[in-house]
Amino acid sequence: MSSEPLFAFDRKLSWDGLLTLLGGFLALFGIWWQVRHADAGLKQQLQAEKDARVGERDERKRAVSTAILFEIDRFYRYYVKNLLKDLSSTEQAYPALESPGPAPFPVYATNCGQIGGLDSVLAGAIVDFYASAQRHAFRLCDYAERYSRGEQRTTFGIQPSLISSIRSGGESLILLAYIACAYLCTYTGIPFTTAKVDVALGQGMSEAELLTAQTAIENFRARVRRDRG
């Protein structure tokens, strides 16, 4: 009986086998590279889409903030600054005052749901102004309606306290409008100057109020710089 095994294993790798093995490795490497490249491309695409969404959201916030800025400044100009000027320059007990109408804040009314998405300090300043401004506007509308009916000439007509409330309401809005507009200018990048917003003049504010406002504004500017890196 022969002593040689029935099967013999040749440990020598032929050139064909070597090339086949190398081709397999190259194929596996190619697949790995494609998967890795595709994964990196997907991550870049997702990051780009995320950045685009963040950019669009920030642009919407700035657009809303800019519109609110000019709405506040317009209300201040006509129904605070000019109003107080008219009241101080007339000797009439019941002067004719302009009414802001039943819907004086269309921008805020349309976008109030987005205020919460702004910086919390900025949102607080905006809400503080509009809360007081709405009461002021209501008093003005009430007065203008009574005036148009001639109630100032009747025994039970316009009460003197209404004029006093309108005056004090307008005076209290100066500081609120000043701070809100300064914050909005900082947030939107619009210069807080009288060339852009009328309230920047600070007319009718005491030195103590100006100091308080300037301190608050500097703190907010530092906050924005810190948040934006």
Side-chain angles (χ1 to χ4, degrees):
M1 180 180 292
S2 174
S3 61
E4 294 183 0
L6 296 176
F7 300 99
F9 178 74
D10 187 1
R11 293 184 175 85
K12 294 182 180 179
L13 188 63
S14 67
W15 280 108
D16 290 340
L18 181 62
L19 291 175
T20 300
L21 182 61
L22 180 60
F25 279 130
L26 290 176
L28 288 174
F29 178 78
I31 293 172
W32 172 82
W33 178 259
Q34 289 178 355
V35 171
R36 183 174 182 273
H37 184 70
D39 186 57
L42 179 60
K43 288 182 179 179
Q44 291 177 356
Q45 181 181 353
L46 292 175
Q47 185 62 44
E49 292 175 355
K50 179 181 178 182
D51 293 342
R53 288 194 299 271
V54 170
E56 290 175 2
R57 186 176 67 243
D58 289 344
E59 285 301 316
R60 286 196 300 271
K61 288 181 179 179
R62 287 190 178 90
V64 169
S65 298
T66 300
I68 288 176
L69 165 66
F70 290 116
E71 182 172 76
I72 290 176
D73 190 58
R74 180 184 180 279
F75 186 85
Y76 162 81
R77 184 184 305 115
Y78 291 109
Y79 303 109
V80 176
K81 187 184 77 170
N82 291 351
L83 170 76
L84 294 175
K85 180 180 178 181
D86 291 341
L87 289 176
S88 64
S89 63
T90 183
E91 297 180 356
Q92 298 180 37
Y94 301 104
L97 300 178
E98 184 180 356
S99 169
F105 308 115
V107 175
Y108 182 74
T110 304
N111 299 281
C112 61
Q114 300 187 44
I115 302 302
L118 301 176
D119 175 271
S120 59
V121 174
L122 173 60
I126 293 172
V127 171
D128 285 345
F129 170 82
Y130 278 105
S132 295
Q134 189 64 64
R135 291 193 294 269
H136 183 61
F138 176 80
R139 293 190 190 104
L140 279 173
C141 289
D142 183 36
Y143 177 89
E145 184 179 354
R146 292 173 179 271
Y147 187 92
S148 67
R149 295 199 300 259
E151 291 189 16
Q152 72 276 16
R153 294 184 291 274
T154 65
T155 304
F156 303 101
I158 301 173
Q159 298 297 315
S161 59
L162 183 54
I163 286 288
S164 178
S165 296
I166 289 174
R167 187 192 302 273
S168 61
E171 290 171 347
S172 67
L173 279 172
I174 297 174
L175 178 60
L176 294 175
Y178 187 90
I179 291 178
C181 286
Y183 285 3
L184 286 163
C185 282
T186 299
Y187 186 78
T188 59
I190 297 174
F192 185 55
T193 63
T194 53
K196 296 294 183 180
V197 285
D198 207 37
V199 72
L201 182 62
Q203 184 177 347
M205 296 173 62
S206 65
E207 291 185 7
E209 287 176 327
L210 278 172
L211 180 60
T212 298
Q214 290 298 333
T215 300
I217 292 167
E218 287 303 319
N219 289 338
F220 183 72
R221 287 172 178 167
R223 177 188 180 90
V224 171
R225 286 195 297 268
R226 183 176 63 253
D227 290 345
R228 294 178 179 176

